[in-house]
Amino acid sequence: MILQYGRTHERSPCDGRANTRFHPNEPVRGPRAISTVGRMTAITSTAYSRDLGDELRRLREKFTTLTGASFAEELGWDPSKVSNIENGKARASEIDLIQFMMKCGRDTEFFERFRDRYRYAFDPYVLLVPDNLRTLAMTEARAEKITTYDVLSVPGLIQTPEYARTLLASGNNTPEDIDKFLKWRMDRQAILKRVQHRPECVFYVHELALRLHVGDEQVMEEQYLRMLFRTHILRIVPMSAGPGPIRMSARMLFRSDKLVPVAYSETDMARVFAHDGAAIAQSREFFKRLDALALDEGQSRSLLAKYVSTLRKDSHEPQAELA
């Protein structure tokens, strides 16, 4: 039996941890600023600081002909300062941002809009509007290990184009938004096709995602086969695992030897990036529990093969005639 696809609201990994408020511009700031990541290590950069730093780099390259070193010399800065700011490793002061923007020929209004976003760049919890896709894409591209869990849908990194399009069309997206989001989702999958530096990916998928009907039988069959034969580790959380995993929100954990880990979750209202030590520890413990509940790789692929076989059998059965 294949259930009809429906929408659900998910909880972020920082639910109940602290009060948050939406910023009137793009970001939604997290709780009070904290200079350390729990008991782990100091926050030297975040997913959002790296995204905004890269935005500054592109600004310099677009509106000047200067290299980073030449740009620093023009401003009277040490070259490492430009490098650290553009890589999101150091927080630029308001004066630094003014000087940077003016050198790029940007006006006061442009500076104020950027400053309103930049002020939250190094917060341990950063909430962004759903339309912000760059931060997630950059985080995935820099990760060495990606662990993800989804309950009601196949993870975006392993969705087929038709499955993704049908999923996007089930919401309130305009045709233009569907095309834009679909392109972003497919472009993100390029990290799984790398010959070198391909991240190690483990996808935990609840069996409900296999049962929910997104599109017709052909769409579902292609999606099952995509999950069955491509290079990644797939672990199915069976229905027999009970209600606990169903109640948990979809989430991701990004790890790299050179960067602070990032815990991520999203809803239709916001994207949440958490760098706080407690959030990272909670995510690691969550995936440890899933590891104990999920089927192993061989069992997961066998279950997927059964869904493919059942789908093909059902599609060849004669439909009952209505009186």
Side-chain angles (χ1 to χ4, degrees), residues 274-314:
H275 306 80
D276 177 64
I280 302 303
Q282 182 190 50
S283 293
R284 284 174 169 160
E285 183 61 29
F286 172 78
F287 284 117
K288 183 178 179 180
R289 293 198 304 272
L290 275 189
D291 180 65
L293 293 171
L295 302 177
D296 63 28
E297 288 186 72
Q299 293 169 330
S300 297
R301 295 185 187 280
S302 294
L303 182 59
L304 260 176
K306 289 181 180 178
Y307 271 90
V308 173
S309 178
T310 300
L311 195 63
R312 290 174 175 174
K313 179 181 177 181
D314 290 345

mmCIF file of all heavy atoms in Angstrom, residues 274-314:
data_model
loop_
_atom_site.group_PDB
_atom_site.id
_atom_site.type_symbol
_atom_site.label_atom_id
_atom_site.label_comp_id
_atom_site.label_asym_id
_atom_site.label_seq_id
_atom_site.Cartn_x
_atom_site.Cartn_y
_atom_site.Cartn_z
ATOM 1 N N ALA A 274 23.033 25.269 13.343
ATOM 2 C CA ALA A 274 23.465 25.298 14.742
ATOM 3 C C ALA A 274 24.918 24.865 14.852
ATOM 4 O O ALA A 274 25.307 23.827 14.324
ATOM 5 C CB ALA A 274 22.577 24.387 15.590
ATOM 6 N N HIS A 275 25.712 25.679 15.565
ATOM 7 C CA HIS A 275 27.125 25.376 15.795
ATOM 8 C C HIS A 275 27.426 25.160 17.272
ATOM 9 O O HIS A 275 28.551 24.872 17.654
ATOM 10 C CB HIS A 275 28.003 26.518 15.269
ATOM 11 C CG HIS A 275 27.742 26.858 13.826
ATOM 12 N ND1 HIS A 275 26.680 27.643 13.434
ATOM 13 C CD2 HIS A 275 28.401 26.519 12.696
ATOM 14 C CE1 HIS A 275 26.694 27.776 12.112
ATOM 15 N NE2 HIS A 275 27.726 27.107 11.651
ATOM 16 N N ASP A 276 26.419 25.324 18.103
ATOM 17 C CA ASP A 276 26.571 25.177 19.541
ATOM 18 C C ASP A 276 26.929 23.738 19.899
ATOM 19 O O ASP A 276 26.400 22.776 19.324
ATOM 20 C CB ASP A 276 25.263 25.587 20.224
ATOM 21 C CG ASP A 276 25.318 25.391 21.726
ATOM 22 O OD1 ASP A 276 26.128 26.069 22.372
ATOM 23 O OD2 ASP A 276 24.564 24.552 22.241
ATOM 24 N N GLY A 277 27.822 23.574 20.874
ATOM 25 C CA GLY A 277 28.278 22.244 21.262
ATOM 26 C C GLY A 277 27.163 21.322 21.698
ATOM 27 O O GLY A 277 27.173 20.126 21.392
ATOM 28 N N ALA A 278 26.176 21.847 22.417
ATOM 29 C CA ALA A 278 25.060 21.026 22.875
ATOM 30 C C ALA A 278 24.245 20.510 21.696
ATOM 31 O O ALA A 278 23.806 19.351 21.686
ATOM 32 C CB ALA A 278 24.178 21.831 23.822
ATOM 33 N N ALA A 279 24.027 21.344 20.685
ATOM 34 C CA ALA A 279 23.258 20.928 19.508
ATOM 35 C C ALA A 279 24.012 19.858 18.721
ATOM 36 O O ALA A 279 23.411 18.892 18.225
ATOM 37 C CB ALA A 279 22.978 22.136 18.616
ATOM 38 N N ILE A 280 25.336 20.020 18.612
ATOM 39 C CA ILE A 280 26.141 19.030 17.902
ATOM 40 C C ILE A 280 26.116 17.698 18.644
ATOM 41 O O ILE A 280 25.930 16.633 18.048
ATOM 42 C CB ILE A 280 27.592 19.515 17.739
ATOM 43 C CG1 ILE A 280 27.632 20.860 16.981
ATOM 44 C CG2 ILE A 280 28.421 18.469 17.003
ATOM 45 C CD1 ILE A 280 27.000 20.852 15.634
ATOM 46 N N ALA A 281 26.283 17.755 19.962
ATOM 47 C CA ALA A 281 26.265 16.534 20.772
ATOM 48 C C ALA A 281 24.906 15.845 20.670
ATOM 49 O O ALA A 281 24.825 14.611 20.575
ATOM 50 C CB ALA A 281 26.603 16.859 22.219
ATOM 51 N N GLN A 282 23.832 16.628 20.691
ATOM 52 C CA GLN A 282 22.484 16.073 20.582
ATOM 53 C C GLN A 282 22.294 15.377 19.240
ATOM 54 O O GLN A 282 21.704 14.283 19.163
ATOM 55 C CB GLN A 282 21.452 17.181 20.748
ATOM 56 C CG GLN A 282 20.000 16.688 20.692
ATOM 57 C CD GLN A 282 19.015 17.841 20.625
ATOM 58 O OE1 GLN A 282 19.159 18.746 19.811
ATOM 59 N NE2 GLN A 282 18.024 17.822 21.508
ATOM 60 N N SER A 283 22.790 15.991 18.165
ATOM 61 C CA SER A 283 22.655 15.392 16.840
ATOM 62 C C SER A 283 23.457 14.100 16.734
ATOM 63 O O SER A 283 22.984 13.109 16.151
ATOM 64 C CB SER A 283 23.118 16.383 15.762
ATOM 65 O OG SER A 283 22.242 17.493 15.693
ATOM 66 N N ARG A 284 24.658 14.100 17.301
ATOM 67 C CA ARG A 284 25.463 12.882 17.265
ATOM 68 C C ARG A 284 24.786 11.751 18.028
ATOM 69 O O ARG A 284 24.781 10.589 17.581
ATOM 70 C CB ARG A 284 26.849 13.168 17.857
ATOM 71 C CG ARG A 284 27.768 13.939 16.909
ATOM 72 C CD ARG A 284 29.060 14.315 17.575
ATOM 73 N NE ARG A 284 30.029 14.814 16.607
ATOM 74 C CZ ARG A 284 31.084 15.554 16.916
ATOM 75 N NH1 ARG A 284 31.310 15.872 18.185
ATOM 76 N NH2 ARG A 284 31.918 15.957 15.973
ATOM 77 N N GLU A 285 24.192 12.073 19.167
ATOM 78 C CA GLU A 285 23.496 11.057 19.948
ATOM 79 C C GLU A 285 22.264 10.556 19.196
ATOM 80 O O GLU A 285 21.950 9.358 19.233
ATOM 81 C CB GLU A 285 23.086 11.645 21.303
ATOM 82 C CG GLU A 285 22.418 10.654 22.250
ATOM 83 C CD GLU A 285 23.311 9.489 22.614
ATOM 84 O OE1 GLU A 285 24.552 9.659 22.627
ATOM 85 O OE2 GLU A 285 22.769 8.402 22.879
ATOM 86 N N PHE A 286 21.580 11.463 18.505
ATOM 87 C CA PHE A 286 20.406 11.076 17.727
ATOM 88 C C PHE A 286 20.782 10.072 16.640
ATOM 89 O O PHE A 286 20.115 9.040 16.471
ATOM 90 C CB PHE A 286 19.768 12.317 17.101
ATOM 91 C CG PHE A 286 18.672 12.015 16.118
ATOM 92 C CD1 PHE A 286 17.402 11.670 16.551
ATOM 93 C CD2 PHE A 286 18.915 12.068 14.752
ATOM 94 C CE1 PHE A 286 16.383 11.381 15.649
ATOM 95 C CE2 PHE A 286 17.906 11.781 13.841
ATOM 96 C CZ PHE A 286 16.641 11.434 14.294
ATOM 97 N N PHE A 287 21.849 10.349 15.898
ATOM 98 C CA PHE A 287 22.251 9.446 14.823
ATOM 99 C C PHE A 287 22.808 8.128 15.380
ATOM 100 O O PHE A 287 22.712 7.088 14.721
ATOM 101 C CB PHE A 287 23.251 10.121 13.898
ATOM 102 C CG PHE A 287 22.619 11.108 12.956
ATOM 103 C CD1 PHE A 287 22.940 12.462 13.018
ATOM 104 C CD2 PHE A 287 21.692 10.689 12.013
ATOM 105 C CE1 PHE A 287 22.340 13.367 12.163
ATOM 106 C CE2 PHE A 287 21.085 11.594 11.151
ATOM 107 C CZ PHE A 287 21.409 12.934 11.224
ATOM 108 N N LYS A 288 23.358 8.175 16.571
ATOM 109 C CA LYS A 288 23.796 6.942 17.223
ATOM 110 C C LYS A 288 22.591 6.046 17.513
ATOM 111 O O LYS A 288 22.647 4.818 17.325
ATOM 112 C CB LYS A 288 24.556 7.277 18.513
ATOM 113 C CG LYS A 288 25.126 6.064 19.233
ATOM 114 C CD LYS A 288 25.891 6.496 20.473
ATOM 115 C CE LYS A 288 26.444 5.288 21.222
ATOM 116 N NZ LYS A 288 27.198 5.714 22.448
ATOM 117 N N ARG A 289 21.487 6.647 17.970
ATOM 118 C CA ARG A 289 20.270 5.875 18.229
ATOM 119 C C ARG A 289 19.682 5.336 16.931
ATOM 120 O O ARG A 289 19.211 4.199 16.873
ATOM 121 C CB ARG A 289 19.232 6.739 18.956
ATOM 122 C CG ARG A 289 19.626 7.145 20.365
ATOM 123 C CD ARG A 289 18.412 7.613 21.167
ATOM 124 N NE ARG A 289 17.687 8.695 20.532
ATOM 125 C CZ ARG A 289 17.966 9.973 20.704
ATOM 126 N NH1 ARG A 289 18.977 10.342 21.501
ATOM 127 N NH2 ARG A 289 17.249 10.911 20.099
ATOM 128 N N LEU A 290 19.711 6.155 15.877
ATOM 129 C CA LEU A 290 19.203 5.694 14.586
ATOM 130 C C LEU A 290 20.015 4.516 14.065
ATOM 131 O O LEU A 290 19.464 3.589 13.452
ATOM 132 C CB LEU A 290 19.248 6.832 13.562
ATOM 133 C CG LEU A 290 18.093 7.817 13.512
ATOM 134 C CD1 LEU A 290 18.229 8.715 12.293
ATOM 135 C CD2 LEU A 290 16.745 7.127 13.501
ATOM 136 N N ASP A 291 21.310 4.549 14.289
ATOM 137 C CA ASP A 291 22.177 3.463 13.841
ATOM 138 C C ASP A 291 21.733 2.130 14.448
ATOM 139 O O ASP A 291 21.799 1.082 13.801
ATOM 140 C CB ASP A 291 23.633 3.759 14.224
ATOM 141 C CG ASP A 291 24.576 2.660 13.790
ATOM 142 O OD1 ASP A 291 24.728 2.462 12.569
ATOM 143 O OD2 ASP A 291 25.160 1.986 14.670
ATOM 144 N N ALA A 292 21.259 2.185 15.697
ATOM 145 C CA ALA A 292 20.800 0.966 16.373
ATOM 146 C C ALA A 292 19.419 0.526 15.882
ATOM 147 O O ALA A 292 19.098 -0.669 15.918
ATOM 148 C CB ALA A 292 20.776 1.188 17.885
ATOM 149 N N LEU A 293 18.601 1.469 15.421
ATOM 150 C CA LEU A 293 17.234 1.157 15.001
ATOM 151 C C LEU A 293 17.125 0.794 13.526
ATOM 152 O O LEU A 293 16.243 0.029 13.134
ATOM 153 C CB LEU A 293 16.316 2.358 15.278
ATOM 154 C CG LEU A 293 16.051 2.724 16.735
ATOM 155 C CD1 LEU A 293 15.305 4.062 16.808
ATOM 156 C CD2 LEU A 293 15.246 1.635 17.433
ATOM 157 N N ALA A 294 18.010 1.343 12.711
ATOM 158 C CA ALA A 294 17.873 1.193 11.259
ATOM 159 C C ALA A 294 18.335 -0.177 10.782
ATOM 160 O O ALA A 294 19.157 -0.850 11.413
ATOM 161 C CB ALA A 294 18.670 2.286 10.554
ATOM 162 N N LEU A 295 17.804 -0.588 9.634
ATOM 163 C CA LEU A 295 18.283 -1.794 8.963
ATOM 164 C C LEU A 295 19.697 -1.544 8.463
ATOM 165 O O LEU A 295 20.084 -0.396 8.198
ATOM 166 C CB LEU A 295 17.374 -2.124 7.776
ATOM 167 C CG LEU A 295 15.881 -2.336 8.068
ATOM 168 C CD1 LEU A 295 15.130 -2.570 6.765
ATOM 169 C CD2 LEU A 295 15.666 -3.477 9.041
ATOM 170 N N ASP A 296 20.500 -2.602 8.332
ATOM 171 C CA ASP A 296 21.845 -2.403 7.792
ATOM 172 C C ASP A 296 21.742 -2.175 6.280
ATOM 173 O O ASP A 296 20.655 -2.214 5.694
ATOM 174 C CB ASP A 296 22.761 -3.573 8.145
ATOM 175 C CG ASP A 296 22.312 -4.899 7.540
ATOM 176 O OD1 ASP A 296 21.657 -4.896 6.473
ATOM 177 O OD2 ASP A 296 22.630 -5.952 8.139
ATOM 178 N N GLU A 297 22.887 -1.941 5.624
ATOM 179 C CA GLU A 297 22.862 -1.603 4.201
ATOM 180 C C GLU A 297 22.209 -2.686 3.354
ATOM 181 O O GLU A 297 21.386 -2.415 2.478
ATOM 182 C CB GLU A 297 24.283 -1.343 3.705
ATOM 183 C CG GLU A 297 24.896 -0.037 4.189
ATOM 184 C CD GLU A 297 26.232 0.209 3.538
ATOM 185 O OE1 GLU A 297 26.238 0.529 2.321
ATOM 186 O OE2 GLU A 297 27.270 0.072 4.213
ATOM 187 N N GLY A 298 22.595 -3.945 3.594
ATOM 188 C CA GLY A 298 22.045 -5.040 2.817
ATOM 189 C C GLY A 298 20.556 -5.194 3.014
ATOM 190 O O GLY A 298 19.790 -5.368 2.048
ATOM 191 N N GLN A 299 20.100 -5.121 4.259
ATOM 192 C CA GLN A 299 18.668 -5.225 4.558
ATOM 193 C C GLN A 299 17.898 -4.057 3.949
ATOM 194 O O GLN A 299 16.776 -4.223 3.453
ATOM 195 C CB GLN A 299 18.452 -5.270 6.068
ATOM 196 C CG GLN A 299 18.987 -6.515 6.752
ATOM 197 C CD GLN A 299 18.984 -6.381 8.262
ATOM 198 O OE1 GLN A 299 19.129 -5.284 8.807
ATOM 199 N NE2 GLN A 299 18.827 -7.509 8.956
ATOM 200 N N SER A 300 18.504 -2.861 3.986
ATOM 201 C CA SER A 300 17.843 -1.680 3.427
ATOM 202 C C SER A 300 17.649 -1.823 1.924
ATOM 203 O O SER A 300 16.572 -1.506 1.389
ATOM 204 C CB SER A 300 18.668 -0.424 3.734
ATOM 205 O OG SER A 300 18.760 -0.194 5.123
ATOM 206 N N ARG A 301 18.650 -2.297 1.222
ATOM 207 C CA ARG A 301 18.531 -2.460 -0.225
ATOM 208 C C ARG A 301 17.555 -3.585 -0.580
ATOM 209 O O ARG A 301 16.837 -3.504 -1.591
ATOM 210 C CB ARG A 301 19.912 -2.698 -0.833
ATOM 211 C CG ARG A 301 20.830 -1.485 -0.671
ATOM 212 C CD ARG A 301 22.163 -1.636 -1.357
ATOM 213 N NE ARG A 301 23.038 -0.522 -1.024
ATOM 214 C CZ ARG A 301 22.980 0.682 -1.592
ATOM 215 N NH1 ARG A 301 22.080 0.909 -2.543
ATOM 216 N NH2 ARG A 301 23.795 1.643 -1.226
ATOM 217 N N SER A 302 17.515 -4.618 0.245
ATOM 218 C CA SER A 302 16.539 -5.689 0.020
ATOM 219 C C SER A 302 15.118 -5.170 0.170
ATOM 220 O O SER A 302 14.220 -5.526 -0.617
ATOM 221 C CB SER A 302 16.789 -6.839 1.010
ATOM 222 O OG SER A 302 18.031 -7.461 0.759
ATOM 223 N N LEU A 303 14.894 -4.319 1.179
ATOM 224 C CA LEU A 303 13.567 -3.743 1.371
ATOM 225 C C LEU A 303 13.198 -2.842 0.201
ATOM 226 O O LEU A 303 12.057 -2.868 -0.286
ATOM 227 C CB LEU A 303 13.524 -2.953 2.681
ATOM 228 C CG LEU A 303 12.176 -2.313 3.048
ATOM 229 C CD1 LEU A 303 11.089 -3.380 3.171
ATOM 230 C CD2 LEU A 303 12.288 -1.522 4.351
ATOM 231 N N LEU A 304 14.150 -2.053 -0.285
ATOM 232 C CA LEU A 304 13.896 -1.197 -1.443
ATOM 233 C C LEU A 304 13.531 -2.036 -2.660
ATOM 234 O O LEU A 304 12.619 -1.688 -3.427
ATOM 235 C CB LEU A 304 15.137 -0.348 -1.746
ATOM 236 C CG LEU A 304 15.142 1.093 -1.250
ATOM 237 C CD1 LEU A 304 16.475 1.744 -1.558
ATOM 238 C CD2 LEU A 304 14.011 1.890 -1.864
ATOM 239 N N ALA A 305 14.251 -3.130 -2.864
ATOM 240 C CA ALA A 305 13.976 -4.010 -3.999
ATOM 241 C C ALA A 305 12.561 -4.567 -3.912
ATOM 242 O O ALA A 305 11.879 -4.728 -4.938
ATOM 243 C CB ALA A 305 14.997 -5.145 -4.039
ATOM 244 N N LYS A 306 12.076 -4.865 -2.704
ATOM 245 C CA LYS A 306 10.713 -5.351 -2.529
ATOM 246 C C LYS A 306 9.700 -4.282 -2.916
ATOM 247 O O LYS A 306 8.659 -4.581 -3.517
ATOM 248 C CB LYS A 306 10.492 -5.779 -1.079
ATOM 249 C CG LYS A 306 11.220 -7.063 -0.693
ATOM 250 C CD LYS A 306 10.923 -7.441 0.753
ATOM 251 C CE LYS A 306 11.650 -8.725 1.141
ATOM 252 N NZ LYS A 306 11.397 -9.083 2.560
ATOM 253 N N TYR A 307 9.997 -3.021 -2.584
ATOM 254 C CA TYR A 307 9.086 -1.939 -2.967
ATOM 255 C C TYR A 307 9.030 -1.791 -4.488
ATOM 256 O O TYR A 307 7.967 -1.534 -5.062
ATOM 257 C CB TYR A 307 9.520 -0.630 -2.316
ATOM 258 C CG TYR A 307 8.921 -0.418 -0.951
ATOM 259 C CD1 TYR A 307 9.567 -0.864 0.189
ATOM 260 C CD2 TYR A 307 7.688 0.210 -0.798
ATOM 261 C CE1 TYR A 307 9.015 -0.682 1.457
ATOM 262 C CE2 TYR A 307 7.116 0.394 0.453
ATOM 263 C CZ TYR A 307 7.789 -0.059 1.581
ATOM 264 O OH TYR A 307 7.228 0.112 2.831
ATOM 265 N N VAL A 308 10.183 -1.946 -5.160
ATOM 266 C CA VAL A 308 10.206 -1.884 -6.627
ATOM 267 C C VAL A 308 9.372 -3.023 -7.206
ATOM 268 O O VAL A 308 8.551 -2.824 -8.108
ATOM 269 C CB VAL A 308 11.649 -1.960 -7.152
ATOM 270 C CG1 VAL A 308 11.652 -2.060 -8.680
ATOM 271 C CG2 VAL A 308 12.454 -0.744 -6.713
ATOM 272 N N SER A 309 9.581 -4.228 -6.673
ATOM 273 C CA SER A 309 8.844 -5.400 -7.159
ATOM 274 C C SER A 309 7.343 -5.251 -6.949
ATOM 275 O O SER A 309 6.536 -5.545 -7.841
ATOM 276 C CB SER A 309 9.357 -6.649 -6.433
ATOM 277 O OG SER A 309 8.646 -7.792 -6.833
ATOM 278 N N THR A 310 6.935 -4.765 -5.776
ATOM 279 C CA THR A 310 5.513 -4.573 -5.481
ATOM 280 C C THR A 310 4.899 -3.525 -6.387
ATOM 281 O O THR A 310 3.776 -3.672 -6.876
ATOM 282 C CB THR A 310 5.328 -4.151 -4.007
ATOM 283 O OG1 THR A 310 5.859 -5.177 -3.156
ATOM 284 C CG2 THR A 310 3.869 -3.928 -3.681
ATOM 285 N N LEU A 311 5.666 -2.457 -6.646
ATOM 286 C CA LEU A 311 5.160 -1.387 -7.504
ATOM 287 C C LEU A 311 4.919 -1.907 -8.917
ATOM 288 O O LEU A 311 3.896 -1.608 -9.543
ATOM 289 C CB LEU A 311 6.160 -0.236 -7.519
ATOM 290 C CG LEU A 311 5.691 1.111 -8.058
ATOM 291 C CD1 LEU A 311 4.570 1.669 -7.196
ATOM 292 C CD2 LEU A 311 6.855 2.083 -8.099
ATOM 293 N N ARG A 312 5.859 -2.694 -9.427
ATOM 294 C CA ARG A 312 5.717 -3.239 -10.778
ATOM 295 C C ARG A 312 4.553 -4.220 -10.852
ATOM 296 O O ARG A 312 3.815 -4.256 -11.837
ATOM 297 C CB ARG A 312 7.021 -3.918 -11.199
ATOM 298 C CG ARG A 312 8.152 -2.929 -11.456
ATOM 299 C CD ARG A 312 9.459 -3.629 -11.732
ATOM 300 N NE ARG A 312 10.508 -2.668 -12.096
ATOM 301 C CZ ARG A 312 11.785 -2.990 -12.277
ATOM 302 N NH1 ARG A 312 12.164 -4.265 -12.121
ATOM 303 N NH2 ARG A 312 12.669 -2.071 -12.616
ATOM 304 N N LYS A 313 4.379 -5.027 -9.821
ATOM 305 C CA LYS A 313 3.290 -5.987 -9.785
ATOM 306 C C LYS A 313 1.950 -5.267 -9.778
ATOM 307 O O LYS A 313 1.032 -5.621 -10.530
ATOM 308 C CB LYS A 313 3.413 -6.870 -8.544
ATOM 309 C CG LYS A 313 2.292 -7.892 -8.410
ATOM 310 C CD LYS A 313 2.459 -8.719 -7.146
ATOM 311 C CE LYS A 313 1.300 -9.692 -6.976
ATOM 312 N NZ LYS A 313 1.431 -10.487 -5.726
ATOM 313 N N ASP A 314 1.841 -4.226 -8.945
ATOM 314 C CA ASP A 314 0.578 -3.479 -8.845
ATOM 315 C C ASP A 314 0.233 -2.792 -10.161
ATOM 316 O O ASP A 314 -0.935 -2.684 -10.526
ATOM 317 C CB ASP A 314 0.655 -2.448 -7.723
ATOM 318 C CG ASP A 314 0.679 -3.092 -6.342
ATOM 319 O OD1 ASP A 314 0.351 -4.283 -6.243
ATOM 320 O OD2 ASP A 314 1.046 -2.383 -5.364
#
